[in-house]
Amino acid sequence: MDWAYIGRVLPLYGKAAWLTFRTGTAGILLAAAVGLLGAAALRWRVPVIRRIVSAYVEVSRNTPLLVQLFFIYYGLPKIGIRTDPEFCGIAGLAFLGGGYMTEAFRSGIEAVDSLQEESALSLGLTQSQAFIHVILPQAAAVSAPAVMANVVFLMKETSVFSAVSLMDLMFTAKDQIGLYYRTAESLLLLVGAYLMILLPLSMLGTFLERRLRHAGSGT
Amino acid sequence: MKNIRRFFAAALVLALFVSVSVSISGSASADAVYRTLDEILADGTVNIGVFSDKYPFGFVDENGEYQGYDVYFARRIGEDLGVKVNFVSTEAANRVEYLETGKVDIILANFTVTPERAEKVDFALPYMNVALGVVSPDSRVITDLKQLGPEDRVIVISGTTAEDYLIKNNPEITLQKYDTYANAKNALENGNAAAWANDNTEVIAFALENEGYTVGIPSLGSQDTIAPAVSKGNETLLNWLNDEIRALAGEQFFHKDYEETLVAVYGLEYEDSLVLEGGGLTE
């Protein structure tokens, strides 16, 4: 193990970790937004849109991210839509994650008894007030484990970004091995960097699940 | 409590990983991972690492068969050894790794001889000349790297000599790295970068095959050679390959190889500058 080499390339892995974290976080936040909208459309049975959401969930969950990235990065430019690699990575994650998040939120919302909404409405709350103050907190408690699992899953999916020339952690390690043949050092740095990103994330998940359990105590 | 326990579990896994990789890096050279000539002959199959997406050197044709200049030579090696050839598809960045881990016996994937690589693998006699080249769209032909502005990207393939050269000699150029030839070509066609730097054989082929592209820099850096490689220390196989390459000079094998696989792309114009017989040694 060549520690001097590790010290020398550490900034490179720092940059790659930042890219992984930055694109991962942006993609996950967008995916969560898509998921909320999708779940809401399913909940209120919005005509037409509801069917589109169902189809989207099936497509996004049943195609690999690699294929989605290829489509966005190499396919779309053929019809004149050019995207830069980072945008493409984030869009791919949002597309894939949106489907998973829709399902996670949908199951949470469905788990809340319809009596809850009816009671809220009869107490004079408007439909959106009832959704925000009564249904959503309880639904969030139910959805939390699935949502957090999706967050960690999506962060790990960034490892296929090499296909669109994004220098994420995985590609940086592969590139270093290809250039300087430091396999052991590169793999060590790779695992260490992923743990540094993912371990706090999954700990945060455990913490949030515990906190949110209180909100669900009524169900 | 649960979180703390989880943290320790992860720390333990990491520690285990460190110790394993430390011992791997310490012992890699001690244990032979390669198969000697006799073991290959006894097995009846030789594993040869080739490109599957580098036309016209190593690629898969429409029938799913491996073809190309390297593959033609690989088939001949199989014939003369009297064994079956098992083609293993490789990416540029994997070539050293495949030999170090014994996944293949021979790498025949347009592998340029460099001093850094020669520390990790053993090169046989060369069978082809190569230099670096840069191809760019006709709309803006790059004839000098100085023409590249801060906004311009240059495509390279991860783990190639072109990448290594530009990192060392032109660190000011922003590289856009791809892991496969197929992706790099696609990206250039989509206009994602100003130019593509690679072996000049490859960029010349690209410009000849695709309208609208010009090789503005036909030769960059030093003239190098391309050779088969075996795992470090695999002397029996290395010696056999060297004898084979010397013997094939008698029938001008690599000229025939060129005429079978490369002439359709390059014409006869490049034959004498590209092809090396008998390792380039004058008889």
Side-chain angles (χ1 to χ4, degrees):
Chain A
M1 190 68 57
D2 182 347
W3 297 104
Y5 166 79
I6 290 185
R8 219 162 43 241
V9 294
L10 213 51
L12 218 57
Y13 282 83
K15 231 175 106 187
W18 169 234
L19 182 130
T20 295
F21 181 76
R22 183 177 68 220
T23 49
T25 307
I28 288 165
L29 288 177
L30 279 172
V34 170
L36 265 181
L37 289 176
L42 292 177
R43 168 72 176 76
W44 281 298
R45 303 179 187 287
V46 184
V48 187
I49 292 182
R50 183 178 126 218
R51 304 219 176 260
I52 295 173
V53 170
S54 303
Y56 157 69
V57 168
E58 293 310 319
V59 171
S60 64
R61 295 205 310 168
N62 293 306
T63 50
L65 179 58
L66 196 55
V67 173
Q68 298 168 2
L69 289 175
F70 262 76
F71 186 81
I72 301 171
Y73 193 67
Y74 298 105
L76 289 185
K78 307 281 186 219
I79 53 166
I81 307 168
R82 190 180 314 157
T83 56
D84 77 281
E86 192 159 334
F87 171 86
C88 169
I90 292 170
L93 269 190
F95 182 82
L96 173 79
Y100 280 92
M101 291 296 194
T102 301
E103 277 301 287
F105 287 127
R106 184 197 56 77
S107 65
I109 291 170
E110 266 180 16
V112 180
D113 201 316
S114 58
L115 208 61
Q116 297 269 342
E117 189 183 16
E118 286 160 23
S119 312
L121 293 181
S122 73
L123 286 171
L125 271 69
T126 65
Q127 192 138 44
S128 58
Q129 280 173 332
F131 183 70
I132 291 167
H133 297 293
V134 179
I135 297 171
L136 207 53
Q138 300 181 65
V142 179
S143 301
V147 170
M148 282 316 295
N150 285 346
V151 167
V152 174
F153 154 72
L154 289 172
M155 198 56 101
K156 288 191 286 195
E157 282 291 300
T158 56
S159 56
V160 303
F161 278 4
S162 66
V164 294
S165 82
L166 271 180
M167 292 306 288
D168 75 307
L169 281 168
M170 186 68 204
F171 196 17
T172 300
K174 258 176 82 176
D175 191 44
Q176 287 291 307
I177 293 173
L179 276 173
Y180 308 115
Y181 321 116
R182 309 279 189 150
T183 310
E185 288 87 349
S186 303
L187 291 181
L188 176 69
L189 281 162
L190 180 65
V191 173
Y194 268 122
L195 280 180
M196 259 165 52
I197 293 176
L198 288 164
L199 214 54
L201 206 60
S202 77
M203 281 160 126
L204 176 75
T206 316
F207 171 77
L208 279 180
E209 274 170 38
R210 202 165 322 136
R211 286 297 297 267
L212 284 169
R213 216 171 286 156
H214 299 298
S217 59
T219 56
Chain B
M1 252 340 259
K2 212 165 132 203
N3 268 350
I4 294 171
R5 229 181 294 148
R6 204 147 132 202
F7 180 77
F8 276 116
L12 200 73
V13 169
L14 189 62
L16 200 74
F17 188 82
V18 174
S19 49
V20 168
S21 42
V22 166
S23 57
I24 287 174
S25 65
S27 67
S29 48
D31 305 314
V33 292
Y34 55 77
R35 305 192 302 164
T36 62
L37 183 60
D38 288 340
E39 285 169 321
I40 293 167
L41 293 175
D43 181 55
T45 306
V46 60
N47 299 315
I48 302 185
V50 294
F51 281 124
S52 59
D53 60 353
K54 191 178 179 182
Y55 179 79
F57 297 96
F59 64 99
V60 176
D61 69 11
E62 56 267 37
N63 301 319
E65 298 276 331
Y66 280 95
Q67 301 294 353
Y69 185 75
D70 293 344
V71 174
Y72 191 84
F73 181 31
R75 289 221 164 88
R76 180 62 189 261
I77 289 173
E79 261 172 52
D80 291 344
L81 277 173
V83 298
K84 233 184 89 217
V85 178
N86 174 34
F87 289 109
V88 180
S89 166
T90 179
E91 287 173 6
N94 291 339
R95 290 175 293 189
V96 167
E97 201 62 21
Y98 272 25
L99 287 174
E100 284 194 326
T101 54
K103 280 193 172 59
V104 297
D105 302 307
I106 305 169
I107 283 284
L108 259 186
N110 248 248
F111 207 14
T112 304
V113 181
T114 69
E116 291 90 349
R117 286 171 179 170
E119 280 177 25
K120 301 284 175 184
V121 303
D122 282 336
F123 284 105
L125 291 171
Y127 60 92
M128 199 174 110
N129 286 311
V130 74
L132 301 179
V134 180
V135 64
S136 39
D138 286 347
S139 55
R140 184 172 164 232
V141 178
I142 305 293
T143 54
D144 188 323
L145 291 178
K146 289 196 184 71
Q147 292 167 1
L148 295 163
E151 291 297 306
D152 290 321
R153 302 279 180 273
V154 173
I155 293 173
V156 292
I157 294 164
S158 176
T160 56
T161 44
E163 180 192 23
D164 194 38
Y165 177 87
L166 290 177
I167 288 175
K168 279 185 188 140
N169 298 292
N170 299 81
E172 74 284 356
I173 294 176
T174 312
L175 301 179
Q176 195 175 69
K177 301 180 184 182
Y178 289 88
D179 47 6
T180 65
Y181 282 90
N183 287 353
K185 287 176 187 172
N186 221 328
L188 185 67
E189 282 171 6
N190 285 344
N192 289 325
W196 175 26
N198 204 13
D199 290 353
N200 57 2
T201 48
E202 183 64 25
V203 294
I204 290 168
F206 181 85
L208 291 171
E209 295 280 306
N210 295 276
E211 213 164 296
Y213 296 91
T214 304
V215 179
I217 308 178
S219 186
L220 184 69
S222 58
Q223 276 286 335
D224 290 312
T225 54
I226 279 174
V230 300
S231 304
K232 195 89 197 157
N234 193 354
E235 267 180 45
T236 51
L237 187 57
L238 184 69
N239 291 339
W240 185 90
L241 276 172
N242 284 338
D243 291 344
E244 170 83 352
I245 290 169
R246 281 194 206 99
L248 289 175
E251 56 180 271
Q252 295 286 292
F253 172 82
F254 290 106
H255 281 81
K256 210 166 92 228
D257 188 351
Y258 182 100
E259 282 150 26
E260 288 286 327
T261 59
L262 299 186
V263 83
V265 177
Y266 299 105
L268 290 167
E269 182 188 346
Y270 292 93
E271 182 162 347
D272 286 323
S273 59
L274 278 182
V275 170
L276 274 179
E277 295 286 358
L281 309 168
T282 44
E283 284 122 84

